[in-house]
Structure formats: structure tokens, C-alpha cells
Amino acid sequence: MKKIIKASAQVIGILLLMVFVSSKLQAQPNPGPGQQNSGIGVTSDGPTVPFDGGMSLMLAASGIGYVAKKMKKGN
């Protein structure tokens, strides 16, 4: 039982650390020609797509589901 609690605490700690660190990261602005000020919009080399916090939340949720499945199986 103590192993499960310790493993769960470690996983939760790592996930929280990942969420807080990823919320402070910003993507590099588009180096191509076009709108250099905002970094968001349509440029001559195509539309720019920001990578926001929603994707990191989806990745964290899938990781939590995977760990829960593995812990339930006992592997």
C-alpha cells in the first residue's frame, strides 16, 4: 500500500511540475516574411499555428489515464 501511495505522489508531483513549467514556456516567433510583430496570423509562407496550453492538458490527461490503467493492472 505504501508503494502505491509513494508512486502516486511521485506521478502527481511530476505532472504538476510539467503543467507549471509548460505554462511559462512560449513558442519562438515566426522567422519567415510577413507579420513579424504578433507571430499569429497569415504570412506569405502560410498561416502560423500557436501551440497553447490546451495540448499540454490533453497530454497530461492521457498520461494520467495510462498510469491509472497500469496501476490497476498491477504492472
Side-chain angles (χ1 to χ4, degrees):
M1 185 69 173
K2 288 184 180 183
K3 282 184 177 181
I4 294 173
I5 293 173
K6 186 177 180 180
S8 298
Q10 288 177 344
V11 168
I12 290 171
I14 290 170
L15 290 174
L16 285 173
L17 179 67
M18 288 173 37
V19 168
F20 288 124
V21 168
S22 66
S23 68
K24 296 295 179 186
L25 298 177
Q26 294 182 359
Q28 185 177 7
N30 184 11
Q35 291 180 336
Q36 295 294 318
N37 296 334
S38 67
I40 298 174
V42 179
T43 62
S44 62
D45 58 346
T48 58
V49 180
F51 186 84
D52 62 353
M55 182 62 76
S56 63
L57 292 177
M58 286 186 356
L59 290 172
S62 64
I64 290 170
Y66 179 75
V67 169
K69 180 180 174 184
K70 286 293 187 179
M71 288 180 71
K72 187 175 180 182
K73 274 188 168 181
N75 292 338

